[in-house]
Amino acid sequence: MRLIQTLGEFIINRQAEYPGATGELSALFSALRLAAKVVHREINKAGLVDITGAAGEDNVQGEEQQKLDVYANEKFKTALAARGVVCGLASEEEENFVRFEEGLNLKAKYIVLIDPLDGSSNIDVNVSVGTIFSIYKRISPAGTPVTEEDFLQPGNKQVAAGYIVYGSSTMMVYTTGNGVNGFTYDPTLGVFCLSHESMQLPEDGIIYSINEGNYVHFPTGVKKYIKYCQVEDDATRRPYTSRYIGSLVSDFHRNLIKGGIYLYPTSSRYPNGKLRLLYECNPMAFLAEQAGGKAVAGDNKRIMDINPTELHQRAPFFVGSKNMVEKVEAFLREFPK
Ligand code: AHM
Ligand code: MG
């Protein structure tokens, strides 16, 4: 019988490979997976909330039901603040970064950037959503309050990044810069189990994911690429398949496993792109690169080399199979306007 390896065991085993590791990152991951389980539980009964509400009851926590993205934000924030290993957090749900200064937190070295519930507009229709996280070491000295500078670091400084996808099963996929591993949640045991070891993004794929409804607003290079995807050519397995969930985590996850490309370019509606650099693009870029893929904001513009200037900064985003991303870059190079 093959033994199950839980996420907790996997992290402890890996930690042994890093002499001098203090266990702080392991504690941080333990907070992430606890919050993930709570959010998983809540999302799984999202459709029931109105029913219990109609009976005049509060939800199971005895609280007034909150929007799930606010709920997820609170759960991750509370879990991360409780371990004494994180000194600050920035979230899509909060305008400013939050300082954790109680107890050991002030002296902690890690900061976390998070999108607690990405694609939350999909919840009402029972479509997968996700949590995205990105972890850095602070720049400011331990023992002092974190500053904005701690959060405005380029993606190439990430210590770890990952996501949780609340899909037909719930999974956590993460990297600490040493490959990408995926863990599927077994709700009967209450643990994440190693299910996808050393994930590799296929160099080529046949799936392209983009909100094609915005076609008229896209830059010419992107329009040309879309047309390229749709042309018949047996040698390159075209026309490709179009798949767009509208939930970055789910679209990325599918492409990671099957091979493909996700595109959110600039448009007249979103002149800088829609996705947020620090807690959407950078963590996905880190995962993509660690799995052998590529992530750029345009031709020859590596996402992880962008120096951020704002917490909620947006960036155009092209991520996925290396050869597919390079093809888009070629079109953007040829049609720069
Ligand atoms: P959100 O963080 O407000 O949920 O927005 C991010 C989401 C991504 O998950 C998704 O890929 C994209 O926005 C979809 O945008 P659009 O509806 O414009 O295609
Ligand atoms: Mg988001």
Side-chain angles (χ1 to χ4, degrees), residues 1 10 26 37 60 77 81 142 167 203 247 251 256 272-273 334:
M1 186 180 100
F10 183 86
S26 306
K37 288 180 202 178
V60 282
K77 195 162 68 170
E203 277 209 331
S247 187
D251 279 310
L256 171 60
N272 300 316
E334 193 179 343

Side-chain angles (χ1 to χ4, degrees), residues 98-167:
V98 183
R99 293 190 172 115
F100 296 163
E101 301 190 312
E102 294 208 351
L104 295 172
N105 286 325
L106 187 65
K107 289 202 174 138
K109 60 175 177 252
Y110 292 114
I111 60 131
V112 177
L113 292 124
I114 194 162
D115 182 352
L117 213 54
D118 183 66
S120 52
S121 62
N122 282 316
I123 288 185
D124 292 351
V125 290
N126 219 341
V127 168
S128 307
V129 290
T131 298
I132 312 173
F133 57 89
S134 170
I135 301 166
Y136 293 79
K137 282 188 184 154
R138 67 189 298 172
I139 301 170
S140 56
T144 63
V146 277
T147 63
E148 193 171 45
E149 198 194 357
D150 292 316
F151 295 92
L152 299 183
Q153 300 187 54
N156 57 37
K157 299 275 189 224
Q158 288 175 104
V159 171
Y163 59 80
I164 298 125
V165 55
Y166 309 95

